[in-house]
């Protein structure tokens, strides 16, 4: 699937979706994430998820758990 096709699929999702790199850098954001964070993808990809989620948040722990397990989690 090309980047354009995958972008179209991701942007069709109604919930905010971010792709996060190993260093917590935001690599990609769908349209719902842009609306939720009130920031364009162009700005988001210059930041880290830690800039938007407070230290100690369970979301950061879930991201770490996904990395450790190599699988999705539901919470």
């Amino acid at each position: 699937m090309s980047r354009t096709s995958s972008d179209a699929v991701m942007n069709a999702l109604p919930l905010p979706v971010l792709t996060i790199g190993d260093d917590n850098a935001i690599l990609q954001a769908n349209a719902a994430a842009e609306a939720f964070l009130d920031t364009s993808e162009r700005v988001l990809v210059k930041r880290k998820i830690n800039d938007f989620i407070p230290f100690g948040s369970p979301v950061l722990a879930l991201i770490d758990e996904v990395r450790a397990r190599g699988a999705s989690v539901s919470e």
Side-chain angles (χ1 to χ4, degrees):
M1 186 180 313
S2 71
R3 170 75 184 198
T4 305
S5 297
S6 63
D7 286 347
V9 170
M10 194 160 148
N11 282 323
L13 297 171
L15 298 174
V17 176
L18 297 171
T19 304
I20 309 296
D22 291 338
D23 60 352
N24 281 354
I26 298 171
L27 304 175
Q28 189 178 12
N30 72 350
E34 289 178 302
F36 181 77
L37 296 170
D38 195 28
T39 307
S40 71
E41 182 182 34
R42 187 178 204 179
V43 172
L44 289 170
V45 298
K46 296 177 183 175
R47 311 277 299 273
K48 293 187 176 204
I49 190 66
N50 309 59
D51 296 335
F52 297 95
I53 301 196
F55 178 78
S57 168
V59 172
L60 296 175
L62 287 172
I63 292 169
D64 290 339
E65 185 177 344
V66 166
R67 285 186 181 125
R69 290 178 50 186
S72 64
V73 294
S74 294
E75 191 65 33

